[in-house]
């Protein structure tokens, strides 16, 4: 990555698939699993969506050749959802057709896309694409119902707090409310879900998850924790040492800016970290 983007290095594995695979190997050596995210979102033309689809197919081939774990995360707006829904679904099918032996997680974007993402997910799931999973955001009031819908399908859920700014009419705004909603959803998911992914760096929620699992006789291999590349590595390795499964979300590619901005927004201290870097440079 060029110097302008060197601050992003903390959160992004690099711009090329080779750099991402090297990061994935390091993560696996440390005892974690990984999922690769070829960064991109909100494309505005079908040509860009086609290009992203072809790029994902190349990433799949590179992962298959490398021998690392076969797990991808992607966004539907990267595949053209804003331009034409049918084309986005077509592109997703092309990726899944290439992704033999892969698990593909469809990331959840802002609330504008919740319905359409779940609808596309359900459509493909009912067409027997069972190598896919979806993401639900605890900050949205609607998620309790959405969770029921996905549990009824028997599909896999990654539970997150939610990374997008949402209106108070549809989402909890206070951190304590989001945390409480996460805890409630997590309990349902652990008890009733199909290999749930608890994606959070929140040590208190992780502690609660361990207690729920213990009290309900849920073995450590029936769910996984997930964390983002470069965040709370101490917690990642502590969980691995305790015998839990931990998957690291590894983003890479040239379109890193929106992802990077969301990570800055989550924690004011990160902005300080970037500013210190910029001031230090001059
Ligand atoms: P919270 O924000 O309360 O943070 C808890 C602690 O974690 C903090 O005190 C700090 O120590 C650390 N931390 C958290 N964020 C940090 C940061 N940016 N930098 C440094 N430290 C940080 N969202 C979404 O809307 N759709 C999606 O598809 C996904 N996918 C996804 C996958 C995975 C594997 C993860 C871990 C997260 C997502 N997210 C997501 C993002 C999620 O919604 C949420 O914004 C972040 O995980 C931050 O929330 P926490 O649960 O970590 O809690």
């Amino acid at each position: 990555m060029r110097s302008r983007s060197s601050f992003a290095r903390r959160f992004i594995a690099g711009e090329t698939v080779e750099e991402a695979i090297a990061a994935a190997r390091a993560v696996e050596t440390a005892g974690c699993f990984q999922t690769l995210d070829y960064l991109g979102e909100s494309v505005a033309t079908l040509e860009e969506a086609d290009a992203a689809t072809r790029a994902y197919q190349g990433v799949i081939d590179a992962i298959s050749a490398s021998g690392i774990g076969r797990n991808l995360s992607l966004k539907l707006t990267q595949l053209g959802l804003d331009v034409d829904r049918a084309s986005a679904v077509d592109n997703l099918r092309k990726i899944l057709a290439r992704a033999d032996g892969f698990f593909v997680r469809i990331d959840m974007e802002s609330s504008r896309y919740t319905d359409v993402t779940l609808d596309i997910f359900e459509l493909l799931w009912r067409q027997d694409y069972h190598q896919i999973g979806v993401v639900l955001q605890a900050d949205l009031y609607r998620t309790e119902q959405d969770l029921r819908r996905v549990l009824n399908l028997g599909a896999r859920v990654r539970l997150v707090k939610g990374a997008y700014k949402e209106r108070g009419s549809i989402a909890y705004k206070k951190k304590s409310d989001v945390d409480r909603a996460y805890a409630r959803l997590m309990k349902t998911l652990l008890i009733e879900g199909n290999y749930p992914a608890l994606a959070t760096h929140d040590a208190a929620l992780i502690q609660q998850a361990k207690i729920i699992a213990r009290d309900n006789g849920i073995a450590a291999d029936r769910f996984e924790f997930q964390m983002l590349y470069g965040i709370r590595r101490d917690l990642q390795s502590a969980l691995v040492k305790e015998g839990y499964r931990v998957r690291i979300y590894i983003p890479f590619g040239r379109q890193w800016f929106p992802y990077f901005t969301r990570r800055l927004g989550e924690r004011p201290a990160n902005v300080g970290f970037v500013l210190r870097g910029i001031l230090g440079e001059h």
Side-chain angles (χ1 to χ4, degrees):
M1 254 183 222
R2 278 164 280 291
S3 72
R4 183 166 62 87
S5 53
S6 58
F7 312 116
R9 266 283 182 196
R10 174 173 166 197
F11 302 110
I12 290 137
E15 291 193 350
T16 66
V17 70
E18 289 75 25
E19 288 171 292
I21 288 172
R25 282 195 212 286
V27 157
E28 290 183 349
T29 303
C32 295
F33 300 91
Q34 46 75 25
T35 180
L36 291 196
D37 169 28
Y38 172 61
L39 290 163
E41 54 197 270
S42 308
V43 307
T45 66
L46 289 182
E47 289 70 36
E48 286 175 89
D50 282 348
T53 304
R54 281 195 303 276
Y56 251 111
Q57 290 175 324
V59 168
I60 287 166
D61 293 345
I63 293 175
S64 301
S66 74
I68 61 165
R70 298 178 177 208
N71 200 300
L72 287 178
S73 294
L74 53 76
K75 292 181 175 53
L76 291 178
T77 65
Q78 185 178 16
L79 306 183
L81 187 60
D82 284 330
V83 191
D84 176 48
R85 174 184 167 148
S87 302
V89 175
D90 238 34
N91 286 336
L92 179 56
R93 282 210 182 88
K94 284 182 195 156
I95 289 170
L96 295 175
R98 188 78 147 252
D100 190 31
F102 276 73
F103 181 76
V104 178
R105 180 79 62 176
I106 302 172
D107 286 348
M108 188 57 85
E109 300 176 71
S110 76
S111 60
R112 254 182 79 196
Y113 302 102
T114 314
D115 276 324
V116 68
T117 302
L118 290 173
D119 288 349
I120 290 173
F121 177 78
E122 181 163 356
L123 172 81
L124 291 187
W125 180 269
R126 290 192 186 280
Q127 293 171 350
D128 283 339
Y129 287 94
H130 287 187
Q131 72 202 105
I132 55 176
V134 75
V135 178
L136 295 177
Q137 296 154 326
D139 64 337
L140 298 183
Y141 300 146
R142 58 175 290 164
T143 293
E144 212 123 348
Q145 282 168 323
D146 292 335
L147 176 59
R148 200 36 66 201
R149 174 177 174 184
V150 183
L151 287 177
N152 287 340
L153 295 175
R156 280 164 61 173
V157 174
R158 171 201 291 155
L159 183 63
V160 301
K161 288 191 186 177
Y164 298 85
K165 263 211 170 0
E166 304 289 357
R167 284 163 296 146
S169 53
I170 60 165
Y172 299 107
K173 303 300 288 177
K174 271 171 56 189
K175 177 175 158 49
S176 56
D177 289 336
V178 177
D179 292 354
R180 265 196 295 276
Y182 193 104
R184 277 196 306 276
L185 295 158
M186 175 172 82
K187 184 166 187 191
T188 308
L189 197 49
L190 273 170
I191 293 172
E192 300 179 40
N194 170 13
Y195 193 68
L198 308 174
T200 181
H201 317 89
D202 187 324
L205 284 170
I206 289 170
Q207 187 55 28
Q208 285 185 52
K210 292 182 197 169
I211 292 168
I212 297 166
R214 186 200 61 201
D215 291 353
N216 291 276
I218 300 165
D221 61 357
R222 286 189 36 220
F223 63 96
E224 65 184 32
F225 292 111
Q226 294 192 350
M227 296 192 202
L228 301 175
Y229 182 74
I231 298 183
R232 292 302 309 259
R233 259 169 280 185
D234 55 334
L235 206 47
Q236 297 169 12
S237 51
L239 287 168
V240 170
K241 273 204 197 100
E242 291 170 47
Y244 292 101
R245 291 177 174 228
V246 180
R247 187 176 304 277
I248 307 304
Y249 183 107
I250 303 179
F252 74 99
R254 300 178 67 102
Q255 308 292 322
W256 49 267
F257 193 70
Y259 177 90
F260 180 57
T261 311
R262 281 196 293 278
R263 300 293 78 81
L264 293 187
E266 278 156 2
R267 204 160 170 254
N270 287 343
V271 180
F273 157 80
V274 172
L275 285 177
R276 276 196 304 281
I278 292 169
L279 293 174
E281 235 185 24
H282 296 286

